[in-house]
Structures are given as C-alpha cells and as structure tokens.
Amino acid sequence: MTSKIRIGALISGGGTNLQAIIDACEAGGIDARVVFVGTDNPGAKGLERARRHGIPTFVVDYAEIIRRCGQAPDALPLPADADIAAITTKQSLLGPTVPAEKKGRFVVSRVAAEARLLAEMAPYRPDLLVLAGFMRNLTPYFIDHFNIDPGFPRIMNIHPALLPAFPGVDGYGDTFRYGCKVGGCTVHFIDYGEDSGPIIGQRSFPIEEGDTLDTVKKKGLALEWLLYPQCIQWFAENRLQVVTITHTLDDGRVVQRRVVKVAQPE
Ligand code: GAR
C-alpha cells in the first residue's frame, strides 16, 4: 500500500472522467485524493460533481482572457518570468505556417491564463495534474512550471482516440467519420505538442456496422472511465518511467521514441 498522492484535476465540461477518478479514489482503487478541480469554463457541469464530494473548485475564464487579449494584448497582465519569444519558439502546438502575430497573440493569452491557473493551484500542492476533458492546450510556460523535474512528467491527459491517430478536439468524431473499424482512448503525459506526449495506456473497441457516433462515444467513454484510474494508480505507485529508446534504421537513419515503461508492482 502506497501513501495517498494529491491529484489536481482540470475539466471543461461534464466531468464523467473526473467522476470516475473521484469514485476510484473513494473506493480505494487509486491511492490518491482529488484536492481541487479547476476549469476554464464557468459553466462546466463537472464543477457540481466536485462540490458534491466536497472538493474545492476554481475557474480561470479563458474565453474572457482571450477576448481581452484580442482587444488590448499589451494591457494583459503577464507574469514577470514569462519570456514570450522563448515560449513561442518552444511550443509545437502551432506550426511554422501560422503567422507570427497570431502565434504571439495565442501565447500571450494562454500564458496570462496559465499564470492564473498556477496561482490557483499552488496552495493545494498537487503531486499530479490530470486533464479530464480539459479542452485547452497548455504552453511550455505552464508545463515547465509544473514539471519541476523534466525527467519526471506530472501532467496526464485522456484523449478520445488511439493516438497518434486523430489528435485534436473531436477524437471519436474523427475516428467514426474516417470509417475506422476500431476506436479507442489514450492516456498520455503532456508535452509541448498537441496530444503528442508519451503514451501511458490505451484501450480499444470494435466499431461495427450498426454503430453511430453516439454509440461509439458511449463505448469509448466506458473504457476511459477504466483506463484513466488505472494509469493514475500506476503513477501513484511510482511505477511509470519515461525512457528514450534509440533505433538505427536499415538505411542508417537514427530515430528516437519516447516510451512509458510500467514497472511490475513491488
Ligand atoms: C472525453 O471523451 C475526453 O477523452 C475528451 O473529452 C471528453 C470529456 O468527457 N477529451 C478531449 O477531447 C481532450 N482533447 P467528460 O467531461 O465527461 O470527462
């Protein structure tokens, strides 16, 4: 039995994954306690789930911050330690074809929001941050502040597709519309790209002829509620390690892949 870790959760919507995590913590399936639930969306229905379990909540209204940034980017309060140019270079959410001005506005608004998130989170001293249907990308500003040790990532995300297929905001929709015969969900650590971090766990399900987008989502969510608590428990048991494996291909090229190793239980 490990001691309980402190989990912070960020959500944007209904919070069924949050519920699965809270329930698993309360039932002893995860050796952890959810110490706060934060959101970018003041109307997030999942906040009510947190309140029902006596978990503190907070809102950082991203839409409002982005609107203010659009009106007067220079008036937005930015943290003193934010080097916007360096963060823009480091992030890989927006590619080289995106105009510099747009990239700059994106980074400024997100960093302003993320500084607020970090300030709200700090008093709760979370060991792990879980993104549970949090529909905002995090910049290197936030990631580097939270992942104090770069070799020990502490931000997890659940994505509704078998990554690296179908990153983005509509994983099940994209899977279904593509005509895939198999769908799934992925839990991964966050890195500087969109849904591109090292994969911790995946679950898959068949997509049959009679399936609709609705039934695909239902099948997927049911697996998410099992997969996310499982991956969090591995973290709580200190069994996860990210390793870089180097391969030399037949043509001499050297490629690297980042793999999450799950150690056997002690
Ligand atoms: C889940 O399907 C989750 O995988 C997805 O949002 C849904 C949230 O549901 N996350 C993303 O798409 C992240 N890019 P929930 O609020 O009921 O947990």
Side-chain angles (χ1 to χ4, degrees), residues 181-205:
K181 305 290 189 196
V182 174
C185 51
T186 303
V187 171
H188 63 99
F189 284 119
I190 287 292
D191 70 1
Y192 300 149
E194 183 169 31
D195 302 320
S196 55
I199 290 172
I200 302 164
Q202 292 183 303
R203 289 283 191 107
S204 64
F205 57 88

Side-chain angles (χ1 to χ4, degrees), residues 85-178:
I87 296 164
T88 307
T89 306
K90 219 171 185 184
Q91 63 81 36
S92 44
L93 297 162
L94 306 179
T97 56
V98 176
E101 198 197 330
K102 190 171 172 191
K103 248 187 223 172
R105 265 202 316 275
F106 173 85
V107 172
V108 164
S109 62
R110 293 327 185 267
V111 167
E114 290 170 355
R116 297 257 314 274
L117 274 183
L118 288 164
E120 293 280 0
M121 287 164 45
Y124 300 107
R125 297 174 290 102
D127 300 302
L128 171 70
L129 181 66
V130 297
L131 309 182
F134 184 62
M135 303 306 280
R136 302 286 180 179
N137 288 311
L138 296 168
T139 76
Y141 178 76
F142 183 97
I143 296 169
D144 292 350
H145 272 75
F146 193 76
N147 287 338
I148 306 157
D149 174 353
F152 183 64
R154 303 195 293 152
I155 311 172
M156 276 187 195
N157 180 43
I158 187 145
H159 183 75
L162 289 171
L163 291 172
F166 309 121
V169 294
D170 190 14
Y172 292 135
D174 292 340
T175 302
F176 182 68
R177 284 186 293 272
Y178 199 88

